[in-house]
Amino acid sequence: MQTAPRTAAGVAHPLDPLTADEIAAASAILKREQGLAETARFVSISLREPAKAAVLAFQSGDPIDRQAFVVIRERAEKKTYEAVVSITGEKVVSYREIEGVQPSIMLEEFLTAEAAVKEDPRWQEAMRKRGVTDFSLAILDPWSVGYNGPQDDPSKGRFVRPLTWLRSGEGEFAYARPVEGLVALFNLDTNEVIAVEDHGVVPLADGKANYEADRIADPANFPRFPDGPRQDLKPVEITQPEGTSFEVDGHRVRWQKWSFRIGFTPREGLVLYTIAYHDRGRERSVIYRASLSEMFIPYGDPAPTHHRKNVFDMGEYGVGALANSLELGCDCLGEIRYFDGVVNDNDGNPVVLQNAICMHEEDFGMLWKHQDFRTLATEVRRSRRLVVSMVATVGNYEYGYYWYLYQDGSIEYEVKMTGVMSNGGIAPGEQPKYGELVAPGIYGPNHQHFFSVRLDMAVDGLHNSVYECDSAAVPPGLDNPHGNAWTVNKRLLKSESEAQRTVEPMAARYWKISNPDQLNALGEPVAYKLMPGENILPFYQPEAPALKRAQFTTKHLWVTAYDPAQMYAAGDYPNQHPGGAGLPEYVKDDRPLENSDVVVWYTFGAHHPVRPEEWPVMPVNHIGFHLKPQGFFDGNPALDVPVSEACHHSMAESNGH
């Protein structure tokens, strides 16, 4: 196991994430030059990335003006500011108010809201109606309010809606007892409980659901596990006695023929930069920047406790700041290289999230194989992939974000969803209309998870075009005399208005990102294709307030002309935003896309009517997509993968050697 330095003495590249020293310096410079009061809270401090042209022209040893982008919430003024700080020049480059917005909710605000609501007499009275007098056993999750009308206007206040659960005793699992019908409204700027809504008493569930290994044998938790954890699992050990096949220099990684840089921001978490493939003596670019841009989790239950559950986890909270410290043998297995994530606390001090990013190699089964059935001569290669991942805990849910690089030039992105469903309480004998029972007195509301990945494409350079490719049966006639013919029809997406598309499984639809200036050996433009996986659209009605804020989910594919200011599918500040920001705004000018610097945005959704088998902690659900070379190479790029040592002798024997 290796760990990257937690604070670097120097920075080797313009895209290296900010170090702890740089975050401390940025906040100190800003406090000094702007005379910030203690009521100025640091929402986020992240790298202000240099211009793309400057990054691509950078040579090792060139001077770097390291800059930080800072978001400030001034609680006393009830205002939001953006700042750019030159750490190298020790000065504030810009400082301006951003009117009419609310930045993401800070960790200190989570804790303040929970403590304040538990002290409120109205909330305490509602709990007494439910037979609760020990308020220390309650937990409150401060959900964002979203935007349901003028009362939620960001200029009128900074709000959350805490929901309540109750432990049955000290150390018991809190989410086993949802307090249905009880909602508070809390102003984060004034630290004031604005209102407490009690929509009627629903009996609290009596069961426990403590899922720790040493507690599952207790029949009060799970009667079906009287013997405790399974005893018949034999050890699986993954070893690489000669070390890993990747090389790491700071945040630059080389593996097989791939090279890329690892980044980290408090909002996005894991970012990959300058992904390239070494092919016949040159580095061939594929993607300049790849990151998860936004998440949207809409709930389909109109009940008072649930109808405002429609969170934007990136823009309203920030998954980088919520990243886990990963553990060897638990989150990651094998010969691991860890990278720390460095974020800030709300005073502007650096916070090091140790082992926030995990990188390792995995055996991935068969890569390719052929046996000559006449001679039985066999050639087979095993596939190996490089995994770069992080995991974030967003309240009740855990999300794992995984980038996979393969030896055949393919790239995969996968989200793994686990954790605890955000549940509700239901009276005995009742059936939920908008969800499913998962345990006595507990139901899981219907919901979905949407993820928008921003891919700043650079397929063999920055001049790319995007085609939509559909397969279609040829009508019967002269062109199809036997009724068996079909074609793949491609359509150029010439402008941003044309490049707003949905998946079409019956047409086997995919999208091809090509470079018309670079031809392969067959005379065709080199390309990568985006292969959709499982997907869905929201079931919200078009006029639903939450969907107006999440317009990016109404199309699976958007393509925009590159603009470094356009980073997030739902806009810079989705918290309490009335809607229309992000991708709908980015494409208003209908910019041309052909043979230009393009950004591909792919949104994929996981449909989640819950199952009892997902209680109390969900087995991982998987969703994602693939990028595969299509004419990028002049044949199978993985022919040169060597025979694995384990099968070398058996292959030699079968081939008669």
Side-chain angles (χ1 to χ4, degrees):
M1 182 187 73
Q2 300 166 294
T3 301
R6 295 192 178 110
T7 55
V11 173
H13 192 272
L15 295 177
D16 285 353
L18 294 180
T19 66
D21 289 343
E22 288 178 317
I23 287 176
S27 63
I29 294 166
L30 195 54
K31 289 175 182 178
R32 182 183 70 235
E33 293 206 6
Q34 294 300 135
L36 298 183
E38 290 185 0
T39 51
R41 312 308 292 151
F42 286 78
V43 179
S44 63
I45 303 174
S46 58
L47 174 69
R48 184 173 187 260
E49 295 175 16
K52 185 187 293 188
V55 172
L56 295 177
F58 176 78
Q59 298 291 322
S60 179
D62 287 353
I64 307 171
D65 180 16
R66 294 284 282 177
Q67 294 189 353
F69 175 72
V70 186
V71 177
I72 295 285
R73 179 63 180 177
E74 223 307 342
R75 288 181 55 197
E77 299 176 6
K78 299 181 177 61
K79 293 179 179 179
T80 300
Y81 294 90
E82 288 181 356
V84 174
V85 179
S86 172
I87 302 165
T88 308
E90 298 188 18
K91 63 180 181 180
V92 175
V93 176
S94 64
Y95 188 80
R96 64 187 183 118
E97 180 187 354
I98 308 298
E99 297 183 355
V101 303
Q102 288 292 345
S104 57
I105 300 165
M106 296 174 273
L107 180 59
E108 69 178 15
E109 293 176 321
F110 269 61
L111 304 177
T112 299
E114 179 177 44
V117 173
K118 287 167 74 169
E119 294 294 325
D120 186 87
R122 295 164 293 182
W123 178 87
Q124 292 182 351
E125 179 58 28
M127 294 296 283
R128 289 190 186 95
K129 288 181 182 178
R130 291 158 171 83
V132 178
T133 55
D134 186 353
F135 306 132
S136 69
L137 296 174
I139 68 163
L140 288 92
D141 285 357
W143 285 69
S144 54
V145 300
Y147 185 94
N148 278 40
Q151 72 277 12
D152 300 322
D153 189 289
S155 63
K156 292 188 175 180
R158 178 170 171 79
F159 303 113
V160 290
R161 297 177 78 245
L163 303 178
T164 304
W165 285 261
L166 186 73
R167 302 183 191 277
S168 58
E170 193 65 35
E172 301 291 325
F173 180 49
Y175 289 115
R177 305 182 80 200
V179 181
E180 186 63 34
L182 181 57
V183 185
L185 180 65
F186 187 78
N187 188 316
L188 295 169
D189 278 331
T190 62
N191 288 341
E192 178 185 6
V193 181
I194 303 300
V196 174
E197 304 170 13
D198 188 348
H199 296 275
V201 174
V202 174
L204 295 169
D206 346 349
K208 298 182 178 183
N210 300 303
Y211 49 81
E212 299 92 334
D214 60 349
R215 303 183 73 177
I216 63 169
D218 182 347
N221 292 309
F222 305 104
R224 64 185 180 277
F225 300 124
D227 299 326
R230 304 178 190 189
Q231 301 297 316
D232 55 352
L233 280 179
K234 305 302 182 184
V236 171
E237 294 186 4
I238 298 173
T239 61
Q240 293 181 273
E242 297 181 20
T244 62
S245 302
F246 54 75
E247 299 175 359
V248 178
D249 181 10
H251 285 82
R252 176 163 184 156
V253 177
R254 287 187 176 276
W255 177 76
Q256 297 286 282
K257 297 186 176 184
W258 289 105
S259 68
F260 60 95
R261 307 195 71 87
I262 289 178
F264 187 88
T265 76
R267 180 168 179 162
E268 302 158 290
L270 175 61
V271 180
L272 298 187
Y273 299 103
T274 59
I275 303 173
Y277 194 94
H278 187 82
D279 183 34
R280 292 185 292 189
R282 65 188 183 101
E283 295 284 339
R284 302 180 64 191
S285 63
V286 179
I287 304 174
Y288 177 76
R289 190 185 196 276
S291 67
L292 182 61
S293 153
E294 189 55 89
M295 294 167 53
F296 175 55
I297 297 85
Y299 281 70
D301 185 342
T305 323
H306 306 289
H307 75 97
R308 286 210 193 201
K309 289 181 178 177
N310 39 71
V311 290
F312 295 72
D313 284 335
M314 315 287 286
E316 291 180 336
Y317 300 98
V319 300
L322 301 174
N324 292 182
S325 291
L326 303 177
E327 297 184 34
L328 182 64
C330 301
D331 302 289
C332 306
L333 190 62
E335 296 293 325
I336 307 298
R337 172 65 184 254
Y338 289 109
F339 297 82
D340 294 342
V342 187
V343 296
N344 59 280
D345 68 16
N346 302 130
D347 292 313
N349 302 311
V351 176
V352 178
L353 305 175
Q354 296 183 17
N355 299 354
I357 296 170
C358 167
M359 184 172 71
H360 67 288
E361 296 173 278
E362 287 182 346
D363 179 275
F364 198 64
M366 190 187 302
L367 176 60
W368 58 263
K369 178 175 181 175
H370 181 63
Q371 183 181 81
D372 186 322
F373 73 90
R374 293 177 177 86
T375 66
L376 298 184
T378 302
E379 290 290 329
V380 61
R381 303 292 186 271
R382 290 200 65 78
S383 176
R384 190 180 299 186
R385 67 182 183 182
L386 185 70
V387 185
V388 187
S389 64
M390 67 160 280
V391 179
T393 297
V394 187
N396 52 295
Y397 258 100
E398 266 75 22
Y399 294 96
Y401 309 102
Y402 291 76
W403 287 101
Y404 304 111
L405 299 179
Y406 293 90
Q407 292 163 307
D408 66 351
S410 298
I411 301 171
E412 182 184 1
Y413 184 72
E414 181 182 49
V415 179
K416 298 181 181 180
M417 297 163 282
T418 181
V420 180
M421 65 184 72
S422 184
N423 51 38
I426 191 166
E430 291 189 11
Q431 289 290 326
K433 187 175 182 181
Y434 304 102
E436 298 289 340
L437 283 173
V438 296
I442 303 171
Y443 79 102
N446 296 335
H447 62 284
Q448 297 173 299
H449 305 253
F450 290 92
F451 308 89
S452 178
V453 172
R454 180 182 183 273
L455 301 167
D456 185 352
M457 299 301 298
V459 178
D460 248 352
L462 300 182
H463 290 176
N464 291 174
S465 297
V466 181
Y467 292 84
E468 182 169 272
C469 301
D470 286 355
S471 296
V474 176
L478 292 177
D479 289 338
N480 190 12
H482 308 293
N484 66 319
W486 58 273
T487 60
V488 178
N489 305 317
K490 67 178 186 178
R491 179 170 74 91
L492 175 66
L493 304 179
K494 296 180 181 178
S495 69
E496 291 174 326
S497 63
E498 294 183 31
Q500 303 172 31
R501 311 298 298 162
T502 57
V503 299
E504 179 45 80
M506 294 303 100
R509 178 173 291 169
Y510 63 88
W511 294 280
K512 184 167 70 171
I513 304 99
S514 70
N515 186 330
D517 298 335
Q518 302 292 331
L519 305 183
N520 59 26
L522 302 174
E524 296 290 330
V526 300
Y528 263 74
K529 64 178 181 179
L530 192 161
M531 302 287 292
E534 175 187 344
N535 217 325
I536 192 67
L537 288 169
F539 280 96
Y540 275 27
Q541 294 300 314
E543 294 305 309
L547 193 60
K548 292 179 180 179
R549 303 167 61 217
Q551 280 295 293
F552 71 91
T553 63
T554 62
K555 298 291 186 291
H556 298 123
L557 182 95
W558 303 68
V559 186
T560 61
Y562 172 73
D563 183 333
Q566 297 176 350
M567 294 296 295
Y568 307 114
D572 293 345
Y573 296 100
N575 190 16
Q576 294 182 230
H577 196 285
L583 281 168
E585 186 175 28
Y586 300 163
V587 301
K588 280 183 177 178
D589 291 338
D590 195 18
R591 295 167 291 188
L593 299 175
E594 186 175 5
N595 199 13
S596 62
D597 193 356
V598 299
V599 177
V600 172
W601 310 70
Y602 181 63
T603 297
F604 51 100
H607 195 59
H608 198 178
V610 304
R611 303 176 293 128
E613 290 85 353
E614 296 173 328
W615 177 255
V617 179
M618 297 178 290
V620 164
N621 288 324
H622 306 256
I623 192 167
F625 65 93
H626 286 82
L627 287 163
K628 293 189 174 183
Q630 182 167 9
F632 190 80
F633 302 104
D634 298 334
N636 182 348
L639 285 181
D640 61 347
V641 172
V643 178
S644 61
E645 186 63 30
C647 73
H648 179 75
H649 298 295
S650 61
M651 280 182 55
E653 291 169 3
S654 67
N655 291 344
H657 299 309

